[in-house]
């Protein structure tokens, strides 16, 4: 009897010690896993941002190289040089992450290491060759037409072809792998919680909830990074193209007009050079806020380049599109950005706008953006802080229309959405679909 009692007490004690040991092991393991998830999330955010920057900078280099080749403007050459430097610096940071190794010499990030230094992508070689060719293009004399044409052709082919495709594929595969790892971590966490629940329910409550929330936030962050510009919170170029394409197709089926606007902050390089990149980021965020407040939820807004933004205005005639953007232009001009709260320092800036209005949608968004870009270039040549608008399709005007700051009767627009004045041609905002990426 006593033997059985002592044996039972001993078994309970051992079971309690084992239970406490399991809880301790599971707790430590869970905390380590949470730290690992946080580190992976931070790394995924950084890598996704840097890859996105590389893609954007490759497009910028192509854009400024093409402009410099076509117009020979020194400002385009300066922008080209700045974009090349930015791409080099960004890749140096990314290279350090990719090439890092563990204590025993194995790559710390095997997929990224393979993608950067081995076929089929061999991104390290691609970027080095691309930057070298861009540098060569920028230093060639204007008389060396054949060599400049060859270099420009290479830049265009890479920026529109294999280089950008490689970056996109690497980013998508990397995010897919990270999502898969997140799902594995979720399963691991779940079984940890099940074990703890058998031992102590209270412990399970305090461990399970943080782990699930960490995993959920991690997955949502990865998903958001694929479609959101990290600095401004607007659609990135990929999300903008996708949503704009869907909206234009919808309006095309409804036989409704659409306006595509491309805008660029004036002398933005001077802002960065004079006040620093932190101030430049504040200006971009400030402009994004004004931009968001100036459009409807059914419109599509995105940051498509360094200081370039684009809007697709749903169901607007040319005069309405002009009023909307003219109101935005005046708002930007009259609303300085706070760049130093401590010293109450504000910075005034302006923007230029190119608008193309399509009365019968059906054209490709990239083609429309190119047309809007030509109008933006005219706005820049006209002295900046102005608007150039043109229309394509039935009843298209014979010439472009510049901003004047006033309506035809000499009165400034009020703060109402000009689409409210559109009459029968207007469409309630709730009848235009809100498009998800």
């Amino acid at each position: 009897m006593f033997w059985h009692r002592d044996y039972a007490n001993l078994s309970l004690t051992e079971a309690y010690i084992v239970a406490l040991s399991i809880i301790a092991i599971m707790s430590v393991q869970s905390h380590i896993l949470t730290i690992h998830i946080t580190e992976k999330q931070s790394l995924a955010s950084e890598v996704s941002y840097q890859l996105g920057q590389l893609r954007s900078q490759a497009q910028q280099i192509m854009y400024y190289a093409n402009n410099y080749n076509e117009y020979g403007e020194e400002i385009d050459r300066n922008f080209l040089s700045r974009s090349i430097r930015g791409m080099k610096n960004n890749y140096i940071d990314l290279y350090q992450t990719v090439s890092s190794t563990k204590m025993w010499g194995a790559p710390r990030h095997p997929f990224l290491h393979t993608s950067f230094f081995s076929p089929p992508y061999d991104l390290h070689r691609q970027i080095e060759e691309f930057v070298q060719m861009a540098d060569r293009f920028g230093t060639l004399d204007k008389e060396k037409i054949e060599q400049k044409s060859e270099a420009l052709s290479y830049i265009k082919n890479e920026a529109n072809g294999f280089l950008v495709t490689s970056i996109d594929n690497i980013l998508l595969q990397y995010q897919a792998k990270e999502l898969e790892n997140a799902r594995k971590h979720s399963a691991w966490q779940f079984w940890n919680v099940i074990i703890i629940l058998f031992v102590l329910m209270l412990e399970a409550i305090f461990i399970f909830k943080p782990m699930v929330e960490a995993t959920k936030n991690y997955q949502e962050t990865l998903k958001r990074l694929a479609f959101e510009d990290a600095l401004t919170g607007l659609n990135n170029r990929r999300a903008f193209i996708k949503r704009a394409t869907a909206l234009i197709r919808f309006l095309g089926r409804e036989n409704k007009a659409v306006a595509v606007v491309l805008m660029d902050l004036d002398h933005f390089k001077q802002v960065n050079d004079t006040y620093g990149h932190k101030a430049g980021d504040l200006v971009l965020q400030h402009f994004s806020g004004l931009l968001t407040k100036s459009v409807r939820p059914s419109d599509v807004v995105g940051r498509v380049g360094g200081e370039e933004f684009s809007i697709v205005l749903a169901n607007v005639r040319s005069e309405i599109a002009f009023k909307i953007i003219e109101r935005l232009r005046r708002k930007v001009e009259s609303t300085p950005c706070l760049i130093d709260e401590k010293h109450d320092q504000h910075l005034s800036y302006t923007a230029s706008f190119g608008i193309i209005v399509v009365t019968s949608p059906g054209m490709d968004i990239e083609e429309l953006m190119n047309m809007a870009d030509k109008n933006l270039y005219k706005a820049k040549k006209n002295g900046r802080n102005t608007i150039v608008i043109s229309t394509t399709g039935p009843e298209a005007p014979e010439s472009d229309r510049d901003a004047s700051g006033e309506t035809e009767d000499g009165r400034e627009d009020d703060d109402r959405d000009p689409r409210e004045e559109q009459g029968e041609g207007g469409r309630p905002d709730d009848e235009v679909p809100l498009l998800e990426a």
Side-chain angles (χ1 to χ4, degrees), residues 380-395:
K380 291 284 188 179
K381 292 200 69 174
N382 288 350
R384 294 182 171 80
N385 189 25
T386 188
I387 303 169
V388 172
I389 181 172
S390 60
T391 305
T392 182
E395 302 180 0

Side-chain angles (χ1 to χ4, degrees), residues 266-315:
D266 296 329
H267 303 296
F268 186 72
K269 182 179 183 299
Q270 295 181 11
V271 173
N272 283 329
D273 291 344
T274 304
Y275 301 97
H277 288 279
K278 182 178 180 180
D281 290 346
L282 291 173
V283 170
L284 291 173
Q285 292 171 339
H286 180 265
F287 180 76
S288 300
L290 297 178
L291 187 57
T292 303
K293 293 177 182 178
S294 301
V295 297
R296 289 181 170 182
S298 57
D299 300 325
V300 181
V301 184
R303 182 185 178 196
V304 296
E307 63 272 17
E308 290 185 339
F309 298 79
S310 189
I311 313 175
V312 176
L313 298 173
N315 189 24

Side-chain angles (χ1 to χ4, degrees), residues 175-190:
Q175 291 174 342
K177 288 181 179 294
E178 290 302 311
L179 287 173
E180 180 62 28
N181 289 335
R183 284 190 283 268
K184 291 179 181 179
H185 293 152
S186 298
W188 196 358
Q189 293 166 349
F190 174 78

